[in-house]
Amino acid sequence: MARLVLIDGNSILNRAFYGIMGSNMLQTEDGTYTNAVYGFLAIMFKILDSLNPEYMAVAFDMRAPTFRHKMYSEYKGTRKGMPDELAAQMPLIKEVLNAMNIKIIEKEGYEADDILGTLGKMASRKGLDVTILSGDRDTFQLATDKITIRIPRTKNGKTEEDDYNKERIKEEYGVEPKSLIEVKGLMGDKSDNIPRNSRNR
């Protein structure tokens, strides 16, 4: 069966940036930081080697407010801005992906997660097996019999991956993947600055 790999660009680039820091923070001769680009590509090549997908795309967030910001102005209001050293690498990774003929998808008003979910659902309905690569566990709600979420993690200085399909999520969380939306709504989420539902306080 043909496979589509969808990558959460911001999530993986951010993880790569913080995974190679300090004295290991790579730079070119002119002082351009490249640690995030290097780490991103290392993670991407690993998934290419392990899954050998027929199709691949990378989704990125855009600077413009999303529909969630319009619904709740404090959405992600507690997050710090992107470090300059990381922001400078964003155009670099896009340049590399374009040179490799890997499709980049962005849409104003939507997050990369929204794009991944839409493309994943569309592809799975057409019979493709889908793997979503992201460090954001919000993507767990997208898991189905045809969609697997792959989460990279660092162990003993090396990057490994955990795969979460529908059954594993049911085992670990006790609910269907799509029910995680309601769970987050009730419990709140500090990382996104979403308050706990007042009815449960």
Side-chain angles (χ1 to χ4, degrees):
M1 183 64 65
R3 179 173 297 278
L4 166 67
V5 167
L6 298 169
I7 299 178
D8 185 339
N10 288 76
S11 174
I12 300 303
L13 195 68
N14 191 71
R15 178 177 183 80
F17 176 77
Y18 287 104
I20 308 175
M21 290 286 288
S23 60
N24 294 322
M25 200 158 170
L26 307 176
Q27 292 177 275
T28 61
E29 290 184 355
D30 66 2
T32 302
Y33 288 103
T34 58
N35 58 316
V37 173
Y38 175 85
F40 182 102
L41 293 174
I43 294 171
M44 187 184 76
F45 288 143
K46 188 171 183 179
I47 199 171
L48 284 171
D49 288 341
S50 64
L51 296 180
N52 192 27
E54 285 78 8
Y55 310 100
M56 174 178 278
V58 181
F60 286 99
D61 298 332
M62 298 188 73
R63 287 182 176 271
T66 69
F67 68 92
R68 294 181 181 86
H69 291 94
K70 295 176 182 179
M71 293 173 61
Y72 177 54
S73 61
E74 296 302 312
Y75 177 64
K76 294 188 176 181
T78 56
R79 291 196 181 184
K80 297 180 180 179
M82 183 182 293
D84 292 341
E85 297 88 349
L86 175 55
Q89 296 182 66
M90 187 66 73
L92 293 180
I93 190 61
K94 292 180 180 179
E95 182 179 340
V96 173
L97 292 172
N98 282 323
M100 296 175 68
N101 292 319
I102 295 175
K103 183 67 175 179
I104 294 173
I105 305 175
E106 302 168 304
K107 185 169 177 60
E108 187 171 312
Y110 294 88
E111 297 181 44
D113 288 358
D114 302 313
I115 297 170
L116 299 175
T118 300
L119 294 178
K121 295 289 186 182
M122 291 173 63
S124 65
R125 291 192 188 110
K126 292 183 178 294
L128 275 71
D129 290 322
V130 179
T131 296
I132 294 176
L133 178 65
S134 175
D136 188 348
R137 291 174 182 262
D138 285 351
T139 54
F140 283 178
Q141 65 189 267
L142 302 172
T144 67
D145 293 331
K146 299 287 290 182
I147 300 176
T148 299
I149 312 302
R150 178 166 288 193
I151 302 287
R153 59 187 177 85
T154 302
K155 184 177 181 181
N156 298 324
K158 296 182 179 181
T159 298
E160 299 182 355
E161 297 93 12
D162 278 333
D163 284 345
Y164 289 83
N165 56 20
K166 179 180 177 181
E167 291 306 313
R168 181 173 178 184
I169 290 172
K170 287 170 63 177
E171 289 176 7
E172 293 196 13
Y173 292 89
V175 296
E176 294 282 339
K178 64 181 179 181
S179 296
L180 292 174
I181 303 170
E182 283 73 29
V183 171
K184 183 171 182 176
L186 292 170
M187 295 179 63
D189 187 335
K190 289 184 178 180
S191 67
D192 286 342
N193 198 34
I194 297 173
R196 184 179 180 187
N197 190 301
S198 60
R199 288 175 295 180
N200 293 308
R201 291 177 180 171

